[in-house]
Structures are given as structure tokens and as C-alpha cells.
Amino acid sequence: MVRNLKLNPHKVGLTVGTMFVIVHTIWGVGIALGFAQTLLDWMMSLHFVQVTHSYSSFNLTSLLTLLVVAAVRGYVGGYILASVWNYWNKK
């Protein structure tokens, strides 16, 4: 186990938030270009789940809202993760 490794909560939050935004941007592009339903069907079939729903039509306002929410949740989650890590690894 890595000991005495202190993480910067702000940097971890930014990293995780950025990752969340990238993933959700790819999803939004998939919806805009029309291949998201095929991707969703394939991903769910890997988990032995039959898809009984479909996505809505592309809406730029919804995508931007999704990206903001993903960024905030990713930042907060990363910040908390790093803070808990630092707390558990104190001397």
C-alpha cells in the first residue's frame, strides 16, 4: 500500500470532473450523430440487460446542463475522495 501519499483535493476534483465531462460529451455527440442507441443497446447486452427505453432527441440546452452537472458531481466526488484518502493516511 502506498503510504504517506498526500493528494491535492482540488487537483483530484478537477481531474475527475474533467473525466466526467469528457465521457458525457462523447455521449452527447453520440446522441447528436445518432449512434448512441446502438452503443446503449450493445453496452446493456454485455450486462445481460434488455433495453426497453430509448433516448430523446438531441437538445443543446440539455447537453450543456448535463455537462455542468457532471463537472460539479465529478469535482465534488474527487474532492471528497482525496480528502478521505488524506484523512486515512495521516501519520
Side-chain angles (χ1 to χ4, degrees), residues 3 5 7 9-10 14 16-17 19 31 33 37 39 41 44-45 50 55 62 64-65 68 70 72-73 76 80 85 91:
R3 294 204 140 311
L5 176 65
L7 300 176
H10 176 67
L14 288 176
V16 175
M19 182 191 71
I31 291 173
L33 297 179
Q37 187 66 51
L39 181 62
D41 292 343
M44 291 298 111
S45 71
Q50 182 179 0
Y55 60 85
S62 294
L64 295 176
T65 303
V68 169
V72 170
R73 290 188 68 192
V76 170
I80 290 170
W85 174 271
K91 271 254 176 194

